[in-house]
Amino acid sequence: MALDYFAPGVYVEEVDRGSRPIEGVSMSVAGFIGFTEDVRGDAELFKPMMVTNWSQYLEYFSRPASDGFTDFDAYLPFAVQGWFQNGGGRCWVVSIGTKLPGSQPPSAEETATKVLTPGGKPSLSFNLQLPEGGSAPALPASSDSRILIQVTESTPKLEEDPDEDSVLPLDTGEFFTVSVQQGGQEVERYEHLTMNPEVDTAIADYAITALEESEYIQIADISQNGQPLSRRPANGYYEVAPPPYIAPPDRLPRDVQGMRDDREGLQGLFEIDEVAMVACPDLMRAYQEGLLDLDQVHGIMEMMLTLCENSFPGPAYRMAVLDLPPVKLGKNDNQAVPPQEQKPQHAAQWLRTFNRRSMFGALYYPWIQVANPRNGGRPLMVPPCGHMMGIWCRTDESRGVFKAPANETPRGVTGLAYETNMREQELLNPLGINCIRNFANYNRGIKVWGARTLVEPDNIQWRYISVRRLLSYIEKSIEIGTQWVVFEPNDMDLWERVKRTVSNFLERLWREGALFGGAPSEAFYVKCDGELNTHETMMMGRLYVEVGVCPVRPAEFVIFRISQWAPNQ
């Protein structure tokens, strides 16, 4: 606004007095942590990597031309695939390794990058040059340690000062160049190479002999009998990865937990603001393999719930989807059993042993059956967390975050580890264990038949997943959408603008069906006046706004009361 007017005229001034609309945040971004087949490209071990579809997952976490799954049946690939199959969109993936801790290190032949001829036959194999001693590194190698090999055309050697009578060597097409690249830069180059070990060095160099001097790679001749031209490697780019990182078993809990400052592991995942739901499916694989005992599993689950509950300085808005360990408590409390042997009473007994309640956690029973590509498509039981979070995302997109993510069909599921009936669910549902049931008798297939949080059973205010997520959605959206208020003059004009901004946002939610009430006044209220903002609070630079909402709750129990009726004659 102009401070002075000196000349007569018309002055137009722009004054910002209206409310600013609040845009709802996304609650449909997931975070996964577990084992992967490989870590390639821009992805790094222990670091969260954004993935938007299954093809991109394969690009970062699978070997070239692979299906993305592992030979030891890691659960993370199944969870991420289930996430995308069931409607999930963007997610973040943290790889904690490509081998189980304590595994036997693979041989150099197993880790070698094999280069084929244009006819598809073996030609050369490449490995990284290991440090003295020939053992794999104790700590995970960074993505910068990967080497890129480029094979291109070449020619035979030419004399520097050829005579007029010199005969040029015949270019038979067998010659090639190997370029060794790291970090986008060429670090070594070998020209005039051939697969002929008896070649005249005045014409060309035998590839194996020439690359013995390399400081970056090891080379081996794996070609079959034939002429040098038929054994020549095909042109192209070939990635040479370092030996896989194999952690000692006692390091696994630290790798899962990670470091907040280094943006690694679970704590690094929670540094990504958009992640609103997290899961660690391979916690169950580690437990089944005896790498973690039940107390260690409980400790990591506790950490997941604690991280979800602590989101200072903003409101807590993340939820952890836990998996039931396949265990029957008794004489062997720490011994895993096949998921098919875990009955509803065992699930209830485990939850009493875990004894951790939180409105920011959810639990599903039983494990689900999916097709295992590494075993000819035969069935495999996996934890349901990834498929369930995909259903959360699907429900958010189709109906809204206020709709309970239940009575939905999980895609990619061919069966259940245990088929729970209604009487058995009467045991689990009050405890907050959501059942996945097979309604084959009703021709309805498999349905998710529960939508409760792990809050204390008597805390009915936060009983449902949809209510918890709706309130988190409202809180986080208001927090981000009212940042413009900071440092504005704290007067009655600002109070009214804030009230209009928040009221417009809540009225939009009411019209979408997220809030209960026949009118906006019945669905919510926004209070920002002199009663809340006294002279003392204003002197301290504070502005208080009180918001109350009436969320819709799922019709979990539908009761029809039917009686005989005789009309008056």
Side-chain angles (χ1 to χ4, degrees):
M1 180 178 293
L3 298 178
D4 297 296
Y5 305 97
F6 296 103
V10 177
Y11 296 86
V12 178
E13 299 174 350
E14 185 175 309
V15 180
D16 185 9
R17 298 188 183 278
S19 61
R20 302 189 183 186
I22 295 177
E23 183 176 1
V25 299
S26 173
M27 298 290 292
S28 304
V29 179
F32 295 94
I33 182 168
F35 298 107
T36 59
E37 184 188 28
D38 201 355
V39 181
R40 302 173 55 244
D42 294 333
E44 295 183 53
L45 205 60
F46 306 133
K47 300 282 188 179
M49 186 69 195
M50 188 178 72
V51 177
T52 59
N53 53 57
W54 181 245
S55 297
Q56 198 172 58
Y57 174 86
L58 297 179
E59 178 184 343
Y60 293 136
F61 297 107
S62 76
R63 295 171 186 162
S66 173
D67 54 20
F69 298 89
T70 66
D71 295 330
F72 56 93
D73 293 336
Y75 292 139
L76 176 69
F78 292 99
V80 175
Q81 186 183 60
W83 159 263
F84 289 121
Q85 286 175 334
N86 285 276
R90 189 166 64 254
C91 69
W92 291 77
V93 178
V94 177
S95 174
I96 56 174
T98 59
K99 295 287 184 181
L100 289 173
S103 300
Q104 182 70 22
S107 64
E109 182 179 354
E110 293 173 327
T111 60
T113 298
K114 296 179 175 59
V115 180
L116 305 180
T117 67
K121 295 181 180 181
S123 177
L124 294 173
S125 70
F126 293 98
N127 268 309
L128 283 187
Q129 192 72 262
L130 294 178
E132 292 185 5
S135 59
L139 296 176
S142 67
S143 60
D144 292 338
S145 65
R146 289 177 179 258
I147 295 295
L148 196 64
I149 301 293
Q150 183 183 16
V151 177
T152 57
E153 300 285 350
S154 186
T155 60
K157 295 180 181 179
L158 300 178
E159 297 181 20
E160 295 183 1
D161 298 316
D163 298 332
E164 294 182 359
D165 298 332
S166 298
V167 179
L168 297 178
L170 179 63
D171 188 353
T172 60
E174 66 185 82
F175 308 103
F176 58 95
T177 295
V178 170
S179 170
V180 182
Q181 304 171 16
Q182 184 180 42
Q185 301 292 326
E186 184 178 77
V187 293
E188 292 179 343
R189 185 177 184 86
Y190 301 91
E191 298 180 330
H192 316 299
L193 301 180
T194 178
M195 294 297 292
N196 181 8
E198 300 177 356
V199 67
D200 184 352
T201 56
I203 298 176
D205 296 319
Y206 178 41
I208 306 303
T209 304
L211 269 73
E212 283 181 350
E213 303 175 358
S214 174
E215 298 179 2
Y216 295 87
I217 57 174
Q218 297 175 342
I219 188 172
D221 187 346
I222 58 173
S223 63
Q224 301 170 353
N225 295 331
Q227 297 299 318
L229 179 59
S230 64
R231 294 187 289 130
R232 180 197 186 280
N235 292 344
Y237 288 91
Y238 304 94
E239 186 180 70
V240 183
Y245 165 67
I246 301 178
D250 58 356
R251 186 182 171 86
L252 179 58
R254 286 186 294 168
D255 286 344
V256 173
Q257 180 177 347
M259 295 288 291
R260 184 181 296 271
D261 293 340
D262 295 334
R263 303 295 194 268
E264 292 182 347
L266 264 176
Q267 296 199 62
L269 203 57
F270 277 80
E271 288 298 299
I272 301 172
D273 291 337
E274 67 174 1
V275 172
M277 54 186 95
V278 294
C280 184
D282 276 322
L283 196 58
M284 299 298 103
R285 170 51 71 202
Y287 173 64
Q288 288 177 305
E289 296 293 333
L291 300 171
L292 298 175
D293 60 31
L294 201 56
D295 290 333
Q296 291 174 301
V297 170
H298 292 170
I300 294 176
M301 288 182 171
E302 160 65 28
M303 181 183 65
M304 293 172 65
L305 294 174
T306 300
L307 289 173
C308 288
E309 294 168 344
N310 294 334
S311 188
F312 184 81
Y317 62 95
R318 297 184 176 97
M319 291 193 68
V321 181
L322 306 181
D323 295 304
L324 275 164
V327 62
K328 293 195 295 186
L329 296 178
K331 295 182 180 179
N332 299 318
D333 289 357
N334 289 335
Q335 185 174 351
V337 300
Q340 298 90 324
E341 295 185 13
Q342 189 185 45
K343 303 299 187 289
Q345 60 268 29
H346 302 140
Q349 186 180 7
W350 172 83
L351 186 56
R352 285 192 292 269
T353 303
F354 181 42
N355 199 29
R356 176 64 157 93
R357 291 289 177 172
S358 174
M359 69 178 73
F360 295 96
L363 189 66
Y364 289 88
Y365 171 86
W367 284 26
I368 56 177
Q369 177 181 287
V370 299
N372 184 5
R374 285 298 172 95
N375 192 21
R378 294 178 178 85
L380 175 70
M381 297 298 172
V382 301
C385 58
H387 293 70
M388 298 303 105
M389 293 198 301
I391 290 177
W392 290 17
C393 184
R394 185 206 311 175
T395 305
D396 291 352
E397 294 294 327
S398 62
R399 298 289 298 276
V401 70
F402 58 88
K403 166 67 173 65
N407 201 2
E408 296 283 345
T409 300
R411 301 166 186 163
V413 177
T414 59
L416 302 174
Y418 182 86
E419 295 194 0
T420 312
N421 60 36
M422 182 176 180
R423 293 302 181 192
E424 290 169 328
Q425 188 171 9
E426 287 179 343
L427 167 68
L428 301 180
N429 197 62
L431 300 177
I433 302 177
N434 301 313
C435 287
I436 309 170
R437 292 181 55 187
N438 187 356
F439 291 95
N441 293 337
Y442 297 92
N443 295 320
R444 300 189 64 232
I446 298 174
K447 297 288 183 181
V448 179
W449 210 242
R452 294 195 175 195
T453 68
L454 276 176
V455 75
E456 296 85 354
D458 59 346
N459 190 353
I460 62 174
Q461 192 172 13
W462 301 106
R463 172 176 290 176
Y464 298 109
I465 294 172
S466 55
V467 174
R468 174 64 269 172
R469 297 183 72 232
L470 173 62
L471 267 293
S472 296
Y473 171 79
I474 293 173
E475 293 165 1
K476 194 66 177 177
S477 299
I478 291 177
E479 178 203 9
I480 296 177
T482 56
Q483 293 293 315
W484 60 270
V485 178
V486 181
F487 296 117
E488 289 291 309
N490 193 356
D491 55 14
M492 288 183 288
D493 179 65
L494 180 64
W495 300 350
E496 291 301 318
R497 294 175 65 190
V498 173
K499 285 175 59 176
R500 287 196 302 270
T501 296
V502 178
S503 296
N504 291 343
F505 171 66
L506 296 177
E507 183 173 351
R508 188 168 71 248
L509 287 179
W510 170 73
R511 294 186 183 280
E512 293 173 356
L515 303 179
F516 179 84
S521 59
E522 299 175 3
F524 65 87
Y525 74 86
V526 181
K527 183 177 181 181
C528 184
D529 54 21
E531 183 179 352
L532 291 177
N533 298 284
T534 63
H535 177 72
E536 288 76 13
T537 61
M538 294 170 65
M539 290 295 293
M540 291 187 292
R542 299 178 181 178
L543 171 64
Y544 289 98
V545 185
E546 186 177 297
V547 179
V549 297
C550 183
V552 294
R553 299 177 185 273
E556 187 178 19
F557 307 101
V558 181
I559 304 161
F560 289 92
R561 293 176 175 171
I562 302 174
S563 61
Q564 296 187 45
W565 176 66
N568 295 328
Q569 301 294 331

